[in-house]
Amino acid sequence: MSADKKVDELTSSVLGHFGPYGGRFVPEALIAALDELAAAHTSALSDPKFQSELAELHKTYTGRPSILTDAKRFSEHAGGARILLKREDLNHTGSHKINNVLGQALLTKRMGKKRIIAETGAGQHGVASATAAALFGLECVVYMGEADTKRQALNVARMKLLGATVVPVTQGSKTLKDAINEAMRDWVTNVSTTHYLLGTVAGPHPFPTMVRDFQRIIGVEARQQVLDLTGKLPDAVLACVGGGSNAIGIFHPFIEDSSVRLIGLEAGGKGIETGMHASTISGGKPGVLHGTRSYVLQDSDGQTVESHSISAGLDYPGVGPEHAYLNDIGRAEYRSITDDQAMYAFSLLCKSEGIIPAIETAHALAGALELGNELGKDATLLINLSGRGDKDVQTAAEYFGLPL
Amino acid sequence: MSTALEKLFEKTKQEKRAALIGYLPAGYPNQKSSAKIIKAMIEGGVDAIEIGFPYSDPVMDGPVIQAASEEAIKNGAGVDEVFNLLQTTAALGTPSVIMSYWSPIEKYGVANFAKKVAQMGGSGVITPDLTIEESQEWQNESTSNSINRIYVVAPSTTDQRLANVTAKCSGFIYAASLMGVTGTRDAVSGNARSLVERIRKVSDTPVAVGLGVSTKSQAQEVANYADGVIVGSAFIKIVQEHGSGRSGLKKVKQLANSLSEGVRNAS
């Protein structure tokens, strides 16, 4: 089958299948809620009132459209390739996460539910969820691995200031994966009143499709902005991939532009060969986790293996099923970036452009350095600058040995 | 040919009582002790055994089973331990099934898993997170190996879906008594009875109720309307509190005995 034909199937997926990936692997108790959510999402897509309400929020609350920055000094380190940064870091709350959260918060209202729950790793999605809950007057409970509440104490305080309840999760590895488990258990118990506001393009259908649809705005805007600025499409689009929501958001509107390479950068931690990484596609195998079939880091018994990354937001042993499929059909490429490579790119962007990126985002920047040097000065690379690095100042200071 | 599990439900029907099904994660607290605990459950009157495949991300389970699964995995429980325990239990003449999240089954290979369950003398598999939409291969393989397919249904399951899911079940239908995770509760949810009544309208397969049953009176209450009563966390709690030595095993047997009186006292 040709790649084009397979791409067509992406948009017409039934029950959220992307080739052999996606679907629903969840307790039967959640099916009715997932069906309700899928129906709400489908009807909202074609409802002009919903769309205009969301567009208004993007414009007057988030600050969209986000701008495009021509990173000329950074480009000198990337083989002279033109580097265009899509500035999702300038959104309200500091990352792309708000795009999805506002969409799902409006759906929550549409379904008549009054309580949202969310999982968070680095705390960005938790903060965005707490923000939307405050804006819409919803009760908000955020599950966060106990280890992460310590690593990201500042974001815990932000969520509390915004009126959310933060529940530290002490089970399992006490990180994002366990926070998702605990959120699912809450949802199974309180599903009639509660919406699970999942933060990435993973989980059971309709989440991968719905979250993608809410994040597509990144790529839709960026595609036009690049055309306006350069008169042509970029040679490649790069984004970091944990669960993969910022990446699918910027990739998706380019899928049919077959000349544009789509490159996802996964967290390589200490290096795939060490086993201490979060490169799910590059270093994992197909399996089932958190309600969906995709690439997973797991052992020979199907037990989830703990991931490792300096970036809490990429520290996840699964990945969105659409990425798994884009990888298998060869439409997107996935590379692995180590902690050290990411931190080098982090520092370089700070000093060459005056922009402190999130450490997650620094993985995409490291990929741009690598690809720019491969392609040379005639290439144009579009990078999703998915988040800002304020939350990472402590981690970065420790990494670079700066006294605090 | 019917499975040992199907024969059990025929027998309990004739005896006009519900079957008592006991759950334990394989390898909890360790492999040797889990076999002893199960033996104590059977000696106390448990009719069928549900062996849990301890899994790293058990979203259907409450704190008690989560902790037990974690401990079992830490002590080395994996697919070999699950099948060894299944073989041991089935060899005692007790109908035995595996309860497993889907990830370990898919990793092992769906066809191989079904075949191995049959080879070890198991009657079937309970799959708490496998939806019927994702289970075509499992349906084929479980059928060709003549083992039971047990799906879990919930109070939120619509009537239409209840008909579709129960049509794919054999052995018994696992009715979750409430919206929530496994664990002991002070009272059995009132939703359980109405769920069982809704199932009766669409299926003749026996119905067993699980989630939140831990005492004799709760077992008796559920046995009034269901064909089977499933108890898990209550047994694990005993082991957590009293260990798996002589006194712990004695308490496991006592609980099994008292639950077994409960399922026989129902009207």
Side-chain angles (χ1 to χ4, degrees):
Chain A
M1 208 189 300
S2 74
D4 282 352
K5 175 120 185 269
K6 288 193 172 177
V7 168
D8 286 345
E9 288 174 8
L10 287 180
T11 47
S12 61
S13 64
V14 178
L15 269 177
H17 288 110
F18 306 94
Y21 302 111
R24 279 180 182 171
F25 297 85
V26 291
E28 197 60 33
L30 293 179
I31 295 294
L34 291 168
D35 283 346
E36 180 191 21
L37 183 60
H41 169 236
T42 306
S43 79
L45 275 182
S46 57
D47 177 356
K49 200 168 151 259
F50 181 93
Q51 295 301 335
S52 73
E53 202 174 344
L54 184 57
E56 185 64 17
L57 283 168
H58 283 328
K59 192 174 149 198
T60 62
Y61 192 71
T62 306
R64 302 205 71 87
S66 63
I67 59 173
L68 200 66
T69 297
D70 203 340
K72 289 179 180 151
R73 277 171 38 80
F74 186 81
S75 140
E76 290 167 19
H77 303 270
R82 191 169 193 183
I83 303 290
L84 301 175
L85 305 175
K86 177 63 173 165
R87 301 291 303 279
E88 293 297 303
D89 61 319
L90 298 178
N91 292 342
H92 180 44
T93 73
S95 80
H96 70 290
K97 291 290 186 190
I98 192 80
N99 302 329
N100 165 52
V101 163
L102 290 175
Q104 286 199 48
L106 280 180
L107 285 183
T108 305
K109 237 175 57 176
R110 198 179 173 91
M111 293 184 293
K113 293 184 173 180
K114 305 264 186 260
R115 177 175 180 265
I116 58 170
I117 54 173
E119 83 295 340
T120 200
Q124 291 304 92
H125 175 59
V127 167
S129 298
T131 299
L135 180 65
F136 290 103
L138 301 167
E139 183 192 345
C140 178
V141 176
V142 180
Y143 290 94
M144 189 171 187
E146 193 184 39
D148 290 334
T149 60
K150 289 178 184 151
R151 284 199 278 190
Q152 306 282 343
L154 190 68
N155 270 343
V156 174
R158 284 172 83 192
M159 289 183 264
K160 288 181 178 169
L161 288 172
L162 290 161
T165 304
V166 180
V167 181
V169 176
T170 56
Q171 287 90 345
S173 59
K174 305 180 176 55
T175 59
L176 177 58
K177 136 186 130 58
D178 307 284
I180 295 176
N181 291 341
E182 209 49 28
M184 299 262 272
R185 291 183 190 114
D186 179 318
W187 205 29
V188 168
T189 309
N190 300 301
V191 69
S192 60
T193 60
T194 299
H195 172 58
Y196 180 13
L197 210 161
L198 189 71
T200 192
V201 286
H205 176 70
F207 286 108
T209 308
M210 178 179 70
V211 176
R212 176 201 71 201
D213 289 346
F214 288 135
Q215 292 293 1
R216 273 186 100 252
I217 190 164
I218 305 171
V220 169
E221 286 175 7
R223 191 175 179 281
Q224 192 57 49
Q225 287 167 323
V226 173
L227 283 173
D228 291 346
L229 182 71
T230 70
K232 59 184 179 62
L233 290 170
D235 296 288
V237 180
L238 296 93
C240 64
V241 177
S245 70
N246 91 79
I248 209 76
I250 198 163
F251 285 178
H252 204 262
F254 288 96
I255 284 181
E256 286 173 23
D257 301 319
S258 56
S259 69
V260 180
R261 286 170 70 181
L262 306 176
I263 303 177
L265 289 312
E266 297 189 302
K270 308 254 177 246
I272 291 184
E273 68 288 351
T274 65
M276 304 279 283
H277 66 90
S279 296
T280 313
I281 293 180
S282 316
K285 292 211 168 76
V288 169
L289 176 65
H290 290 146
T292 191
R293 183 186 286 119
S294 185
Y295 282 79
V296 184
L297 299 181
Q298 54 182 204
D299 70 10
S300 58
D301 274 345
Q303 310 285 4
T304 311
V305 172
E306 275 180 48
S307 55
H308 292 273
S309 170
I310 190 168
S311 139
L314 302 182
D315 201 351
Y316 179 59
V319 65
E322 195 166 5
H323 285 294
Y325 187 60
L326 289 173
N327 174 73
D328 284 12
I329 63 170
R331 181 62 193 94
E333 310 157 44
Y334 296 85
R335 298 182 175 188
S336 184
I337 297 293
T338 63
D339 289 349
D340 290 343
Q341 286 176 288
M343 293 313 289
Y344 173 74
F346 174 93
S347 170
L348 200 60
L349 193 77
C350 292
K351 288 174 179 156
S352 65
E353 299 290 342
I355 298 169
I356 301 177
I359 296 178
E360 289 79 10
T361 311
H363 289 72
L365 294 163
L369 292 175
E370 195 176 270
L371 188 71
N373 281 300
E374 284 167 32
L375 300 181
K377 63 178 174 47
D378 294 334
T380 299
L381 311 183
L382 170 65
I383 291 97
N384 193 1
L385 201 78
S386 53
R388 61 176 174 244
D390 305 33
K391 70 184 175 59
D392 293 319
V393 167
Q394 185 163 353
T395 307
E398 280 165 18
Y399 181 87
F400 293 114
L402 306 176
L404 275 178
Chain B
M1 206 186 73
S2 45
T3 63
L5 185 65
E6 287 164 340
K7 284 178 192 148
L8 169 67
F9 279 105
E10 283 160 27
K11 184 182 116 186
T12 52
K13 191 176 179 184
Q14 279 170 5
E15 293 173 5
K16 300 195 188 324
R17 67 173 179 99
L20 177 63
I21 303 167
Y23 167 91
L24 193 77
Y28 174 76
N30 54 60
Q31 188 68 2
K32 211 170 151 191
S33 299
S34 58
K36 285 186 191 163
I37 295 164
I38 284 178
K39 199 151 170 271
M41 284 160 73
I42 295 168
E43 283 169 5
V46 167
D47 298 297
I49 295 293
E50 188 187 311
I51 295 165
F53 195 136
Y55 174 53
S56 53
D57 297 277
V59 296
M60 262 291 283
D61 288 306
V64 172
I65 293 178
Q66 281 175 48
S69 301
E70 218 173 291
E71 191 175 337
I73 293 170
K74 210 170 65 194
N75 292 334
V79 69
D80 293 338
E81 287 69 26
V82 170
F83 283 128
N84 284 342
L85 194 59
L86 179 68
Q87 188 174 32
T88 306
T89 309
L92 295 172
T94 306
S96 307
V97 298
I98 289 175
M99 164 135 172
S100 180
Y101 289 90
W102 189 244
S103 174
I105 297 177
E106 185 157 300
K107 197 72 189 176
Y108 192 80
V110 176
N112 287 340
F113 198 92
K115 202 163 132 192
K116 190 83 174 183
V117 169
Q119 271 174 6
M120 296 293 114
S123 290
V125 184
I126 302 170
T127 49
D129 63 346
L130 180 67
T131 53
I132 51 169
E133 287 81 4
E134 303 293 343
S135 59
Q136 191 55 54
E137 189 183 5
W138 176 241
Q139 283 165 28
N140 297 341
E141 297 301 333
S142 51
T143 301
S144 64
N145 286 285
S146 306
I147 57 169
N148 294 133
R149 255 189 322 266
I150 301 148
Y151 293 97
V152 182
V153 295
S156 63
T157 309
T158 61
D159 286 340
Q160 180 56 53
R161 195 165 169 91
L162 215 45
N164 296 342
V165 176
T166 56
K168 307 285 187 198
C169 283
S170 65
F172 67 88
I173 295 157
Y174 191 129
S177 68
L178 48 78
M179 296 300 290
V181 294
T182 58
T184 57
R185 307 284 198 287
D186 291 338
V188 177
S189 159
N191 287 327
R193 182 190 282 267
S194 64
L195 175 60
V196 173
E197 282 165 4
R198 288 198 296 131
I199 295 170
R200 301 285 192 211
K201 287 183 191 151
V202 293
S203 174
D204 296 327
T205 306
V207 183
V209 171
L211 268 57
V213 186
S214 61
T215 66
K216 179 180 172 180
S217 64
Q218 288 172 339
Q220 182 171 338
E221 180 193 337
V222 171
N224 280 329
Y225 54 84
D227 308 301
V229 177
I230 304 168
V231 179
S233 297
F235 285 116
I236 295 169
K237 266 184 157 172
I238 290 178
V239 179
Q240 282 173 346
E241 282 162 27
H242 303 278
S244 53
R246 186 167 300 177
S247 77
L249 292 176
K250 196 175 155 201
K251 289 212 154 49
V252 166
K253 193 172 160 181
Q254 279 168 356
L255 174 64
N257 199 269
S258 131
L259 292 165
S260 149
E261 283 171 15
V263 298
R264 283 173 171 81
N265 285 352
S267 47

